[in-house]
Amino acid sequence: MTETAVPRPARSSKGRRRAVVVVVAVLAVLALIVVGFLVWAKTVYQGERPAALDAWRNTGVGIESFDDSIVMTPLDGASDRGLVFIPGAKVDPYAYMAKLAGAVVETGTTVVITKPTLNLAFFDQRPLDTFTRHAPDATEWYVGGHSLGGVRACMMATEEDVAGLVFFGSYCANDVSDSGLEALSISGGHDGLSTPAKIEDAAHLLPEDAVFVEIPGANHASFGNYGVQPGDGVATMPDDEVRDEITSALVDFWGSSGE
C-alpha cells in the first residue's frame, strides 16, 4: 500500500501579517528606547557662564579645547605632573574649569578635563593616552574625577600606569588598597549624593595612606559650577570659598608650584 504524504496547510496570510506587525512594534519600541536614552544622555547640566569666563580670563592658565577634552596648562612654574579629570554623569566638562584653575596655577599641574562619550564616564572606554597626548610635557599622571567620573577614574587606575587618584565628591567601587597609588579624596559635608557615609564606607578600598579632606559646607554640585542637582544637599559655604578649599587641598597633596 502506498502512503500519500499529507501536505501541511500553508500559513495563512493573516498569520504572516500578525508576525510582521509584532516585529514592527518591537522595533518601534526599541527605537523609542534608544532615542529616549540619547536625548536623556545629551541633556547635560550646563556649566555656568560667569564661572567659565573667570577661568578663561585667569592670566595664569592657558586653556585649549579639543574634541575629546579641555586642557588647562599653567603658564608659569609648570611641573611634569598632569591630571586627567573625568566629569560626573551628564555634567558639562566646562563646569569644572573654575574649580580647577587655582590648583593649576598653585601646583603647576596640567589638567585635562575629558569630554566623555555620551556624557557618561562608563561609556567612555578610550585609553588614558587619548587625553595625555595633548600635554606631552607632563610625564607623571594622575587620574580623577567628580561623582561617577571618580568611580570610572578608579577603574582606569588599575588599567593604566598612573601615580595616583584624585576624587571630588566620589569614591572607588573597586579595590585599589594594595596598589601603592597616592590618593586624595575631597568630599562635601552636605553632599546628598556621594554622602559622607558613602565616602567612609568605601574608604577601605583605597590605600591606607589616602588623604581625606571634607569641606563642611559643600554639597555635590559645589565641585563644579552647574547649578542645582536633584537629590543633593544644600550648600552652606559660598562658592568662592569652596574653590579655595579645593585648591588648598590639592596644594597640600602635591605641593606648591616650584617646590
Side-chain angles (χ1 to χ4, degrees):
M1 182 176 179
T2 304
E3 294 184 0
T4 303
V6 179
R8 293 183 177 181
R11 188 174 183 179
S12 69
S13 59
K14 184 177 181 180
R16 287 196 296 270
R17 285 197 299 271
R18 185 181 296 113
V20 170
V21 170
V22 170
V23 170
V24 171
V26 170
L27 292 176
V29 170
L30 289 175
L32 286 172
I33 291 173
V34 170
V35 171
F37 172 77
L38 291 175
V39 170
W40 174 80
K42 290 292 184 180
T43 306
V44 300
Y45 296 103
Q46 291 289 344
E48 296 174 347
R49 182 176 175 81
L53 288 175
D54 283 346
W56 284 102
R57 292 167 178 162
N58 190 317
T59 57
V61 181
I63 299 176
E64 292 182 274
S65 182
F66 298 92
D67 289 341
D68 54 40
S69 57
I70 305 158
V71 180
M72 304 178 69
T73 307
L75 297 181
D76 186 38
S79 70
D80 59 0
R81 184 189 313 110
L83 168 67
V84 172
F85 187 89
I86 306 171
K90 297 177 52 179
V91 178
D92 183 358
Y94 292 93
Y96 296 99
M97 294 195 306
K99 288 300 195 300
L100 288 163
V104 171
V105 174
E106 297 295 330
T107 70
T109 302
T110 298
V111 174
V112 182
I113 306 171
T114 72
K115 296 178 179 178
T117 304
L118 293 176
N119 300 304
L120 295 166
F122 287 137
F123 286 101
D124 197 344
Q125 299 300 312
R126 291 171 293 183
L128 204 64
D129 61 12
T130 302
F131 313 106
T132 59
R133 65 187 175 89
H134 295 304
D137 292 337
T139 56
E140 181 186 48
W141 284 95
Y142 289 70
V143 63
H146 174 229
S147 192
L148 289 177
V151 177
R152 174 60 185 147
C154 196
M155 295 168 64
M156 291 185 74
T158 63
E159 304 164 359
E160 306 275 0
D161 182 17
V162 296
L165 287 159
V166 174
F167 298 103
F168 282 14
S170 186
Y171 47 85
C172 270
N174 55 298
D175 192 342
V176 296
S177 58
D178 294 327
S179 65
L181 294 168
E182 297 179 17
L184 170 65
S185 169
I186 310 176
S187 59
H190 292 182
D191 194 326
L193 299 174
S194 296
T195 63
K198 290 180 180 178
I199 301 291
E200 183 177 358
D201 288 346
H204 69 282
L205 298 174
L206 292 176
E208 287 187 4
D209 60 353
V211 178
F212 291 87
V213 176
E214 182 178 300
I215 303 175
N219 66 1
H220 199 68
S222 293
F223 293 102
N225 293 95
Y226 57 88
V228 178
Q229 191 166 357
D232 199 2
V234 178
T236 58
M237 180 178 286
D239 191 68
D240 58 342
E241 293 184 21
V242 174
R243 181 193 61 222
D244 292 345
E245 290 291 332
I246 291 171
T247 300
S248 177
L250 287 167
V251 169
D252 289 344
F253 184 59
W254 280 326
S256 298
S257 176
E259 290 186 357

